[in-house]
Amino acid sequence: MTLKTGFGAASEAGLRERNGDFFGMVIPGEDLLVSKGIVAAIADGVGEIAGREAAEYAVLSVLSDYYDTPETWEVPHALGKLLSSTNRWLLSHGATRREFSTMATTLSLLVLRGARYTIAHVGDTRIYRLRGKELALLTRDHVWQGADGKHVLKRAVGLDMHLVVDYEEGELKQGDVFLLASDGVWEVLGDARMSGILQDCPDPEKAASCLVEEALASGSEGNATAQVIRVEEVSTESLVDYLRKDLPAPPALMRGQRLDGYTVLDLVHESAGRVLYKVKEESSGRILAMKAPKRAEEGFLVEEWILSRISSSFVPKVIVPERRHFQYMLSAWHEGNTLLEMMQSGHHFSFAEVEKIASMLARAVAALERLGIVHTGIRPENLHLGADGKLRLLGFGAACCPSAGIPGTDLPSDPVASEIHAMGSSLYEILTGKSPYEGGRVDPVPPGKYRPDVPDWFGNILVKCVLRDPARRFEMPEEMLVALEAGEKAIVPVQAKTPLAQRNPLATWRFTAAVSIFVNLYLIYLRMVESIEATSGSPW
């Protein structure tokens, strides 16, 4: 079941010559409805001259650009980016002409996605929620009380370089009614009358009209705008559910066989659950990689969804076929080998090679981190070095994107720290052929012990990546990249060795006990000697 809503709105200038309010709502197609949701906005422009332009620009820019933000972003993060951009534009545009010097507006945004809502709010336009017979105010006014009793905005989009936005999130329930209203409505009617109108008028269009008409009839001196959204059905379908296509796994294929217009050229890799083929697209002649499950998997195409949202040279480009009769995923084919395959074939990675790979890997993981994607499988077998010299990440089968409702099965408590550890371990392995904690050590062994050609500054970077305490690793991939680019000038402190008591508590206690026994025996011996000397020196 997908999210369904009813919508209605009304706006009047009232006693003023010009209507400075502006509103809007977008209900996208099914794909974006699941990943991004429905967005509604209301704005009340500041000032008679440029207020309307500010309100209109703010609403239209958010409504149009919201769906261009990455689908992998959290809703508050996406809205925050848009509001910051809108704020900067209004400030810069207001500085170009004197009559636009107060080009600012309130702005209240409501996003309904899945079974939750998100609010972003600046100013004194308001968002209410009617649940049953209870009307709840979900925003707070950002105003000062003026000497004349009228309120003055202390926060607005376009008012100040530092924009502070209120965010609120909550659960949706069937039958919820949301009201977005300007002060020309809520200030005159009050909560009780607005609640009564919303309950008496189940049709959102009629409810919005009644609210505006009632406000004007009650003496509203400002513009009056009301936007009503009724939640008819709450979505019970997650993104993973949506991507669960009822398709069978393809049969095992051999060289020369065809499937949905693709001819198998070679079987590249086979694991317990999946097969990777090199195929040729018959319609275009291009060479592609085809990954397919051996048995039908729920959510197999989640990996395709994640990869198709990544626009980066560090990830193979995904090709989504127009029609398919089986579960499989297509991506661009790149000649080359994984780092593990290169190691197994006897390739000796020089320090210069590993240094270059480290920089590319840091950039790749940083690109994922900015999109809110966690790979969770960074290992030499999932790092592909192409014939073109570029590093590409493979193996997104266990990748997760919590903000898009793809939580993953083994998401660590600190995903970024975990990714940095995996990066450091992989680089250490291809450089030395060993684990940083070879032999069960408590402290990582500096790679220079195995590879004298590795400078200390690079060894310190790898050691910092794999420290057992996540708080002592690099905070983000970009920090690691800065250290790599600094090279010999990088200031990466060498970690202090863990005390013996922490490295091997049992050995410590054994040593302490042995010393204690030795000291006690020595003291007993001294006491016996003193006793013998005292006895031999007696006059009897």
Side-chain angles (χ1 to χ4, degrees):
M1 183 183 296
T2 58
L3 178 65
K4 291 184 179 180
T5 61
F7 168 76
S11 183
E12 296 290 343
L15 298 177
R16 297 186 180 180
E17 293 183 4
R18 199 176 187 210
N19 191 347
D21 293 349
F22 199 80
F23 67 90
M25 179 175 175
V26 175
I27 302 176
E30 188 175 10
D31 288 356
L32 287 176
L33 180 62
V34 174
S35 63
K36 301 291 286 185
I38 297 168
V39 60
I42 185 171
D44 181 0
V46 178
E48 294 291 335
I49 299 177
R52 168 70 182 201
E53 285 75 10
E56 186 172 343
Y57 177 81
V59 170
L60 292 179
S61 63
V62 170
L63 293 184
S64 61
D65 294 345
Y66 172 71
Y67 294 97
D68 290 330
T69 60
E71 294 174 66
T72 55
W73 278 2
E74 293 276 5
V75 174
H77 181 62
L79 295 179
K81 290 287 187 182
L82 295 175
L83 288 172
S84 295
S85 175
T86 302
N87 187 64
R88 288 193 299 270
W89 189 90
L90 289 178
L91 285 169
S92 62
H93 197 66
T96 59
R97 295 173 61 182
R98 185 175 180 181
E99 60 268 29
F100 288 170
S101 60
T102 57
M103 195 172 185
T105 180
T106 71
L107 185 60
S108 298
L109 303 169
L110 174 68
V111 176
L112 308 179
R113 187 178 72 160
R116 296 189 64 78
Y117 68 83
T118 301
I119 288 172
H121 166 72
V122 181
D124 65 350
T125 40
R126 288 183 174 183
I127 299 180
Y128 293 86
R129 183 196 62 208
L130 178 69
R131 178 169 289 173
K133 295 184 178 182
E134 182 181 351
L135 185 69
L137 176 61
L138 303 180
T139 56
R140 64 188 181 95
D141 302 332
H142 303 137
V143 296
W144 301 104
Q145 200 65 32
D148 57 356
K150 294 184 177 181
H151 58 248
V152 179
L153 284 173
K154 61 180 179 181
R155 279 199 230 168
V157 184
L159 192 64
D160 189 76
M161 282 295 296
H162 182 59
L163 178 65
V164 180
V165 182
D166 288 350
Y167 295 98
E168 181 73 28
E169 293 185 282
E171 184 181 1
L172 284 177
K173 290 189 177 181
Q174 187 174 358
D176 281 350
V177 177
F178 289 90
L179 168 63
L180 288 72
S182 64
D183 58 355
V185 172
W186 62 259
E187 197 170 35
V188 176
L189 295 182
D191 291 3
R193 290 174 69 185
M194 289 190 297
S195 178
I197 293 172
L198 291 173
Q199 292 180 57
D200 293 340
C201 302
D203 177 61
E205 190 70 45
K206 184 177 180 182
S209 297
C210 287
L211 286 165
V212 169
E213 291 170 4
E214 191 77 12
L216 295 176
S218 299
S220 176
E221 297 179 359
N223 305 143
T225 301
Q227 196 172 3
V228 179
I229 302 166
R230 179 179 294 277
V231 179
E232 297 175 353
E233 291 183 6
V234 175
S235 175
T236 57
E237 185 180 57
S238 67
L239 180 61
V240 175
D241 295 328
Y242 175 72
L243 295 172
R244 187 178 289 128
K245 306 296 184 183
D246 187 20
L247 295 172
L253 301 173
M254 299 180 65
R255 186 179 300 175
Q257 289 187 306
R258 301 170 63 250
L259 180 77
D260 287 355
Y262 300 96
T263 302
V264 176
L265 301 179
D266 200 3
L267 191 156
V268 180
H269 178 74
E270 184 174 6
S271 64
R274 297 187 176 186
V275 185
L276 179 66
Y277 301 102
K278 181 180 181 180
V279 301
K280 180 179 181 180
E281 187 177 48
E282 296 173 356
S283 61
S284 65
R286 58 182 173 175
I287 307 301
L288 303 174
M290 175 187 285
K291 181 189 287 188
K294 290 185 176 180
R295 292 172 294 278
E297 298 179 14
E298 289 189 352
F300 173 77
L301 296 179
V302 168
E303 181 178 358
E304 179 185 80
W305 187 92
I306 290 177
L307 284 170
S308 63
R309 269 69 187 171
I310 305 172
S311 178
S312 170
S313 61
F314 296 111
V315 173
K317 182 181 179 182
V318 169
I319 289 88
V320 180
E322 293 184 6
R323 297 188 191 88
R324 57 183 146 201
H325 301 90
F326 302 92
Q327 288 187 357
Y328 58 82
M329 186 184 75
L330 297 168
S331 63
W333 175 264
H334 297 281
E335 294 292 343
N337 298 97
T338 67
L339 301 187
L340 180 61
E341 290 170 341
M342 295 174 70
M343 292 172 64
Q344 291 175 339
S345 66
H347 181 82
H348 176 80
F349 286 93
S350 67
F351 164 66
E353 284 181 299
V354 178
E355 183 184 15
K356 183 178 179 181
I357 290 171
S359 294
M360 291 190 289
L361 181 57
R363 286 187 170 88
V365 176
L368 298 185
E369 194 270 335
R370 286 193 293 271
L371 290 171
I373 296 171
V374 185
H375 189 282
T376 76
I378 297 175
R379 296 184 293 272
E381 58 263 40
N382 288 328
L383 302 177
H384 184 274
L385 191 60
D388 56 2
K390 293 184 178 180
L391 185 77
R392 294 178 177 86
L393 298 180
L394 308 178
F396 280 79
C400 48
C401 181
S403 60
I406 304 174
T409 54
D410 298 310
L411 183 65
S413 56
D414 190 342
V416 176
S418 179
E419 297 284 83
I420 287 174
H421 186 280
M423 291 164 60
S425 297
S426 299
L427 294 168
Y428 193 103
E429 183 177 349
I430 65 171
L431 187 63
T432 67
K434 300 179 182 295
S435 163
Y437 295 95
E438 193 78 20
R441 294 173 178 269
V442 173
D443 295 314
V445 180
K449 180 178 179 179
Y450 305 114
R451 290 283 300 269
D453 60 320
V454 176
D456 290 342
W457 66 266
F458 189 78
N460 291 343
I461 289 175
L462 296 191
V463 167
K464 186 174 177 64
C465 287
V466 299
L467 291 174
R468 291 192 185 275
D469 183 1
R472 297 173 62 191
R473 300 172 196 160
F474 291 107
E475 291 186 12
M476 56 188 66
E478 289 88 347
E479 185 184 1
M480 177 185 173
L481 184 60
V482 169
L484 288 167
E485 291 177 343
E488 295 179 356
K489 297 179 181 179
I491 302 175
V492 182
V494 180
Q495 72 142 5
K497 286 188 175 295
T498 304
L500 178 63
Q502 295 181 26
R503 281 184 282 149
N504 196 333
L506 181 59
T508 302
W509 283 111
R510 284 176 176 172
F511 176 78
T512 303
V515 171
S516 178
I517 291 171
F518 174 78
V519 171
N520 281 300
L521 289 174
Y522 182 68
L523 291 174
I524 292 171
Y525 167 75
L526 292 178
R527 186 66 179 268
M528 290 175 65
V529 171
E530 290 176 359
S531 178
I532 292 171
E533 289 178 348
T535 303
S536 63
S538 171
W540 305 102

